[in-house]
Amino acid sequence: MSTSTPVGSADRPLRVAVIGSGPAGVYAADILTKSEAVKSGELTVSIDLFDRYPAPYGLIRYGVAPDHPRIKGIVNALHKVLDRGDIRFFGNVDYGTDLSIEDLRKHYDAIIFATGAIKDADLNIPGIELEGSFGGADFVSWFDGHPDVSREWPLEATEIAVLGNGNVALDVARVLSKHADDLLVTEIPDNVYAGLKASPVTDVHVFGRRGPAQVKFTPLELRELSHSKDVDIILYAEDFEFDEASDEAIQSNNQVKTMVGTLTNWIAEQPEDLSELKASRRLHLHFLHSPVEIVDSPETPGKVAGIKFERTELDGTGNARGTGEFIDYPVQAVYRAIGYFGSALPDVEFDHKKGVVTNDGGRVLDADGQHVPGLYATGWIKRGPVGLIGHTKGDALETVTYLLEDRENLPFAEVPSADAVVDLLDARGVQFTSWEGWLALDAHELALGAAATEAGTSHGVEVKRERIKVVPREEMVSISRDGVAAQV
């Protein structure tokens, strides 16, 4: 479509919508604003960042354990980007419900999907549907105060199995085994504290299919396990198997070397008589276990009563194969933490096997494999739920580079006015939140933490609570919008 005013000029900036305000979305917006074309004055851009939640930061707010030491640094970095004022934030706006692809195309020249992945990957074994079988991502959403999940969680088991050897598995296991009082220094909501406080858990078992040299968590996550008070870590000598690929990885990869060194040191320091361990809770790390079946019992039909594994062995390449030896563990709950999986987006081609938007380097493709002009993807919805923050930045750079290459051939928006999308949301009664609204909610949560700290001190409890998350969506929206209204 032709336009009388050049798109990308001062009078008609290139209008870009980013769907998702987690690291992937914020980094894409930031990289676009800092691109050479923009810095040189050759191009001007106007970027709106949309999120289905009232607050920004995506998986950093709702997908990372609250006691993770890296959270604050990542949040601070994202805050600095959005606080500059050159990227607008629209929270509590759901793509596909509040705004359709037609709406976005009408108001924006390009759309970048950065919706991430929030669902648990499937594990198809018998018994996975039993009561007491949970997705790790669902549990993370609960303890992170996700506004769209139940505020209650059934923490009734004394013995728990966590399946997976990635960072999410360790987050789940650490929160399950940690004493609730030790989480008061974090931002966990009051309902989460109450639930964890009442948990009768004594033993949490983490199971990985391969060996210690093949784990997918990071040294930082591993070391965090040892910081939990009154929790003993237990390992098993028969699980420490290393093949040729393991030895090569240990020699060539410092991260693998560090983690294997930590694990071997722990088991070397472990007393032969485990009865000498006196903590009230135990965190067991198992390797070379492949889950076969979650079982119930005649006494508790329909409920988890145990889990069966096949012992595995390494095949020389770092992969595992079954040995034909089976072992049962009595547990009353099973959490699968074998990965996240992306969700399909309305009116966008989706690869249901990989859980990603169909794309080529970030250019969204149609059913025939052709690039859909103006549509892009970045982050986990582009490449799948693997990699760390550094990979997300690289993803965003690749996607933005393609967008800039395509900018002369984009399907230019019919109604590019920055006010038009605000008017549309208002007309539809969408109670959207803004960056200023987030600052109001942020201040409110910090005030809740300060009040709890003061109340604790008055009762002789010296625990500083930096913030307490607000959970109900309606309350988040109300605080955000009322805070902005009060400023006006």
Side-chain angles (χ1 to χ4, degrees):
M1 178 174 292
S2 62
T3 176
S4 58
T5 304
V7 174
S9 66
D11 293 329
R12 170 58 169 92
L14 183 72
R15 291 277 288 148
V16 179
V18 180
I19 314 302
S21 68
V26 176
Y27 289 147
D30 187 41
I31 289 171
L32 181 55
T33 63
K34 294 177 179 177
S35 64
E36 190 58 39
V38 173
K39 287 195 299 183
S40 67
E42 175 189 348
L43 176 72
T44 61
V45 294
S46 171
I47 304 172
D48 289 342
L49 193 65
F50 294 91
D51 203 291
R52 65 189 301 259
Y53 307 125
Y57 308 143
L59 205 63
I60 296 301
R61 181 172 168 93
Y62 293 122
V64 181
D67 60 344
H68 199 301
R70 292 177 60 217
I71 291 180
K72 187 175 294 186
I74 297 170
V75 166
N76 287 343
L78 301 180
H79 179 99
K80 288 179 181 178
V81 173
L82 296 180
D83 203 42
R84 293 195 311 246
D86 57 346
I87 300 167
R88 289 197 304 182
F89 172 71
F90 290 85
N92 202 42
V93 179
D94 187 24
Y95 166 73
T97 302
D98 300 317
L99 289 176
S100 67
I101 191 73
E102 290 80 10
D103 295 326
L104 291 172
R105 281 195 171 285
K106 185 175 182 179
H107 293 86
Y108 299 92
D109 308 307
I111 303 158
I112 302 176
F113 293 101
T115 51
I118 60 173
K119 295 194 306 182
D120 283 286
D122 291 334
L123 178 63
N124 295 316
I125 60 173
I128 197 70
E129 77 290 343
L130 291 173
E131 183 181 343
S133 172
F134 306 107
D138 292 336
F139 181 60
V140 172
S141 292
W142 174 75
F143 68 60
D144 270 334
H146 194 295
D148 296 336
V149 303
S150 171
R151 299 189 68 185
E152 305 298 323
W153 191 271
L155 290 165
E156 302 163 352
T158 57
E159 300 161 297
I160 300 172
V162 179
L163 309 180
N165 260 182
N167 285 342
V168 175
L170 290 197
D171 280 350
V172 168
R174 192 178 64 255
V175 171
L176 284 168
S177 60
K178 205 165 189 174
H179 291 276
D181 285 350
D182 294 329
L183 288 165
L184 278 175
V185 295
T186 74
E187 58 187 26
I188 61 168
D190 290 335
N191 66 295
V192 175
Y193 169 74
L196 293 171
K197 181 72 172 177
S199 171
V201 66
T202 59
D203 292 84
V204 177
H205 299 262
V206 182
F207 295 95
R209 189 173 57 84
R210 296 188 291 170
Q214 286 77 42
V215 296
K216 294 299 183 182
F217 42 76
T218 60
L220 177 62
E221 290 278 354
L222 182 60
R223 286 194 298 269
E224 283 178 19
L225 294 184
S226 64
H227 298 161
S228 296
K229 299 175 184 176
D230 192 34
V231 179
D232 283 326
I233 299 173
I234 300 177
L235 300 105
Y236 299 87
E238 62 268 26
D239 293 343
F240 279 72
E241 178 183 315
F242 302 94
D243 60 359
E244 294 175 10
S246 301
D247 293 336
E248 182 179 342
I250 292 169
Q251 294 299 321
S252 62
N253 188 308
N254 285 332
Q255 178 165 299
V256 174
K257 182 178 181 180
T258 298
M259 289 189 291
V260 170
T262 298
L263 291 167
T264 52
N265 286 339
W266 284 355
I267 195 169
E269 296 167 357
Q270 183 174 291
E272 290 187 18
D273 183 358
L274 295 182
S275 66
E276 295 179 19
L277 298 173
K278 300 302 182 184
S280 66
R281 292 180 176 178
R282 291 161 292 281
L283 180 55
H284 308 254
L285 299 181
H286 303 268
F287 307 103
L288 303 174
H289 283 69
S290 181
V292 174
E293 180 183 6
I294 301 173
V295 298
D296 59 6
S297 73
E299 292 79 19
T300 58
K303 290 188 176 183
V304 172
I307 184 167
K308 175 177 289 194
F309 291 90
E310 182 178 12
R311 288 301 309 242
T312 61
E313 62 183 7
L314 299 178
D315 64 3
T317 68
N319 290 313
R321 61 192 173 203
T323 64
E325 176 189 352
F326 296 89
I327 184 170
D328 293 283
Y329 291 85
V331 297
Q332 301 82 50
V334 175
Y335 290 74
R336 68 185 187 279
I338 57 174
Y340 284 87
F341 200 78
S343 301
L345 299 170
D347 303 311
V348 182
E349 196 67 25
F350 193 75
D351 186 329
H352 290 275
K353 290 184 178 179
K354 297 179 180 178
V356 299
V357 165
T358 307
N359 73 94
D360 180 13
R363 287 180 169 123
V364 173
L365 306 179
D366 61 19
D368 297 322
Q370 300 299 309
H371 175 216
V372 183
L375 298 192
Y376 301 86
T378 191
W380 280 5
I381 202 63
K382 166 188 172 182
R383 61 181 164 85
V386 292
L388 303 174
I389 294 296
H391 297 91
T392 302
K393 289 181 178 179
D395 262 350
L397 178 60
E398 179 184 49
T399 296
V400 169
T401 299
Y402 281 135
L403 189 159
L404 291 171
E405 287 180 5
D406 300 338
R407 69 181 184 270
E408 299 297 333
N409 299 306
L410 295 173
F412 300 126
E414 297 176 18
V415 186
S417 166
D419 293 334
V421 71
V422 177
D423 294 339
L424 177 63
L425 292 171
D426 281 338
R428 291 179 176 174
V430 179
Q431 298 289 295
F432 64 87
T433 60
S434 63
W435 178 247
E436 292 74 22
W438 160 246
L439 295 179
L441 178 59
D442 182 40
H444 179 82
E445 292 185 342
L446 291 171
L448 291 177
T453 299
E454 184 177 351
T457 301
S458 67
H459 289 86
V461 180
E462 297 295 332
V463 176
K464 181 180 180 182
R465 302 212 63 187
E466 185 172 349
R467 84 162 60 230
I468 299 176
K469 272 186 182 174
V470 173
V471 180
R473 179 184 286 267
E474 297 79 9
E475 187 177 349
M476 294 173 68
V477 172
S478 175
I479 294 168
S480 299
R481 291 175 67 88
D482 289 351
V484 174
Q487 294 172 20
V488 176

